[in-house]
Amino acid sequence: MKSESKLNLTPEQIKAITAPLEPALVIAGAGTGKTSVMAERVLWLIEEANIEPEEILGLTFTNKAAQELRTRVRDTISNSEKFQNSFEITEPTVATYHAFALQILNDHGLLIGVESDLKPINETTRATLAFKTVLQTQSSLKYLEKSPRYIAKQLLMLDNQMAEHDLNIDLISQFSDKLLAQIATTRSRKEMRDLEVVTLARVELANLVNEFRELKRDEGIVDFADQMRFALQLVKSHPEVVDQLRNQYKAVLLDEYQDTSVIQRLLLSEIFGQAHPVTAVGDPLQAIYGWRGASVSNIDSFPHHFPQQDGNPARKYPLTANFRSGQKILNHANQVSKDLRDIHFAIDSLVAGKATNSEVNIGLHLTWNDEIEDITNRINNLVLDRGVKPEQIAVLSRNGKELLS
């Protein structure tokens, strides 16, 4: 690999960077150089696999993360020998997952009756439309029995859940009918009566979700949930769009894959399944978005969701060399995370990537003032006795104002 000499890469990183053109899962533990590996992977795809930069797609979660990845990739490519004498360098497409879905709709939405000039809305506007739906509905709200504002909040939650799990009103109605039939044959108890009311309320709420979605379409607007929902509907019903996207993007990199939702995984596998060169990067131990529909099982099941050409699971490439902390700190971190690592079998213990002095001290104090005094003494020791510069010291607290008071 031509870029090997430019970076002090570990053997694990080199294996991930130079993985064959097939589905691959990079399990990148904390501080193991994930972004560097992704940028170098892009360069390898260009230099060694002869894939043009514009034929590479990189997806991540936030606009900030997308910009950081875009910048790192641009810098890596511009430093390559292949492009040093080039006046104009084309770049890979780097976007958020939702922006990618919206682009699919803008390009092909008319195939399913979705206008190409959709306007994404923020949560404030979305909440206003939900409230408007509740006020204008002609449907029965007999079992909801709450204020319009509360019902609107529940409406938004169910809309998100239905979208994230690719559910529709028909599936909810079928499930509810079966459940109500079972309740009817069960000896009457308070728990059963409560369950019946909850089930009937959910059906009413699902009907409101449909009205809410119709209102959004009438006004030509979409929210994040719609972008994924419509995009999945489109690629499922139009295989020619899938073929076009696969031809457009010869290689795909998926960042922070542990935080993808069910519908995002369905969309990505619908387009880039069938042994397409997809490299997913993430760490089950760093999953933080379960509250908004993310499913950490996506990364655990990636090898089976994106199998190789022969049907075997995709290969895994672990990154375990941590460059942020010394081994003493990592030993404690590994001990704390052991139960999670036992669940996610792809995760190995982290090891120090370089020799770094580190130590861990744990203090138990009776009062807040005792803790402040201890921290102050430790800082004095570091600055006066060990020559550490004050600007090299960080103090983390739940409430910085309290710490300073």
Side-chain angles (χ1 to χ4, degrees):
M1 185 177 62
K2 296 176 183 177
S3 59
E4 259 180 59
S5 60
K6 300 177 183 178
L7 286 175
N8 185 22
L9 299 170
T10 68
E12 286 182 337
Q13 290 175 323
I14 293 173
K15 283 184 180 180
I17 292 166
T18 61
L21 287 178
E22 61 186 20
L25 174 61
V26 179
I27 304 292
T32 57
K34 175 198 69 173
T35 306
S36 296
V37 167
M38 293 181 71
E40 289 294 317
R41 172 66 170 171
V42 169
L43 186 58
W44 183 88
L45 290 169
I46 296 169
E47 290 185 338
E48 306 297 336
N50 296 316
I51 296 177
E52 296 299 322
E54 63 269 23
E55 295 176 327
I56 300 172
L57 172 66
L59 298 179
T60 188
F61 266 95
T62 65
N63 290 323
K64 180 181 178 182
Q67 183 57 42
E68 290 175 352
L69 181 58
R70 193 179 296 116
T71 300
R72 184 71 70 88
V73 168
R74 183 187 299 125
D75 292 344
T76 302
I77 293 176
S78 62
N79 290 329
S80 166
E81 294 178 5
K82 181 176 180 178
F83 296 101
Q84 281 184 352
N85 297 321
S86 299
F87 293 102
E88 184 175 346
I89 301 175
T90 57
E91 297 181 5
T93 297
V94 180
T96 66
Y97 289 100
H98 284 96
F100 175 61
L102 185 60
Q103 187 60 54
I104 294 174
L105 293 179
N106 286 336
D107 292 342
H108 308 284
L110 289 176
L111 293 172
I112 58 171
V114 176
E115 296 294 333
S116 59
D117 58 347
L118 292 170
K119 301 184 290 292
I121 58 174
N122 58 33
E123 284 301 308
T124 301
T125 305
R126 187 168 177 259
T128 301
L129 284 177
F131 187 68
K132 181 179 179 181
T133 302
V134 176
L135 293 181
Q136 293 182 348
T137 185
Q138 299 299 313
S139 301
S140 169
L141 303 182
K142 174 183 176 182
Y143 292 98
L144 289 172
E145 294 184 339
K146 298 289 183 179
S147 70
R149 195 167 301 280
Y150 178 86
I151 296 173
K153 182 178 179 181
Q154 297 300 111
L155 186 163
L156 292 175
M157 291 176 61
L158 185 59
D159 181 42
N160 282 337
Q161 292 168 357
M162 289 172 64
E164 293 293 355
H165 293 88
D166 193 28
L167 300 175
N168 56 46
I169 183 65
D170 293 334
L171 288 172
I172 291 179
S173 295
Q174 291 171 15
F175 177 83
S176 298
D177 289 344
K178 290 180 181 179
L179 182 57
L180 290 170
Q182 290 178 326
I183 293 173
T185 61
T186 304
R187 182 179 299 176
S188 179
R189 295 198 306 271
K190 181 181 184 302
E191 293 83 358
M192 292 295 102
R193 292 195 299 272
D194 290 345
L195 179 58
E196 181 180 23
V197 170
V198 169
T199 303
L200 292 169
R202 182 174 56 202
V203 172
E204 290 181 349
L205 202 57
N207 287 324
L208 280 179
V209 168
N210 264 14
E211 294 180 21
F212 174 59
R213 291 177 173 181
E214 289 173 4
L215 178 60
K216 287 187 289 184
R217 292 194 68 161
D218 290 343
E219 299 196 10
I221 56 180
V222 292
D223 54 30
F224 283 153
D226 293 327
Q227 291 173 27
M228 288 293 166
R229 181 168 60 89
F230 287 144
L232 178 59
Q233 178 185 339
L234 195 155
V235 298
K236 275 186 172 182
S237 57
H238 290 276
E240 71 276 13
V241 174
V242 172
D243 292 338
Q244 180 179 328
L245 290 168
R246 289 169 68 90
N247 289 329
Q248 181 178 356
Y249 300 115
K250 300 292 195 304
V252 180
L253 288 86
L254 307 176
D255 187 24
E256 303 290 2
Y257 193 74
Q258 76 279 354
D259 284 321
T260 52
S261 66
V262 171
I263 198 167
Q264 287 170 338
R265 186 262 297 174
L266 292 172
L267 176 65
L268 294 168
S269 60
E270 188 73 30
I271 303 172
F272 300 119
Q274 296 82 49
H276 201 70
V278 176
T279 302
V281 183
D283 178 5
L285 303 193
Q286 298 185 64
I288 60 174
Y289 287 123
W291 56 271
R292 71 176 187 189
S295 175
V296 71
S297 64
N298 282 346
I299 193 167
D300 291 330
S301 302
F302 177 90
H304 301 285
H305 292 156
F306 294 83
Q308 300 180 64
Q309 191 67 54
D310 58 7
N312 286 323
R315 290 188 175 91
K316 300 176 185 176
Y317 298 87
L319 301 181
T320 60
N322 178 289
F323 295 95
R324 296 176 185 165
S325 305
Q327 192 59 52
K328 290 182 179 179
I329 292 176
L330 293 177
N331 288 342
H332 286 277
N334 290 330
Q335 184 176 358
V336 170
S337 65
K338 182 181 183 304
D339 289 343
L340 270 180
R341 287 189 287 107
D342 288 343
I343 296 172
H344 304 287
F345 297 107
I347 292 295
D348 294 317
S349 298
L350 295 176
V351 295
K354 58 183 179 181
T356 303
N357 292 327
S358 65
E359 58 185 76
V360 177
N361 295 296
I362 300 174
L364 182 61
H365 304 281
L366 293 177
T367 68
W368 178 254
N369 288 333
D370 289 343
E371 184 173 350
I372 293 294
E373 184 178 356
D374 183 55
I375 292 174
T376 303
N377 291 336
R378 290 177 184 275
I379 292 175
N380 282 335
N381 175 261
L382 289 170
V383 174
L384 300 178
D385 298 338
R386 300 173 64 173
V388 178
K389 296 179 180 179
E391 59 268 26
Q392 295 177 318
I393 300 172
V395 179
L396 305 182
S397 173
R398 282 192 178 186
N399 189 324
K401 292 181 180 179
E402 278 191 21
L403 189 63
L404 293 173
S405 62

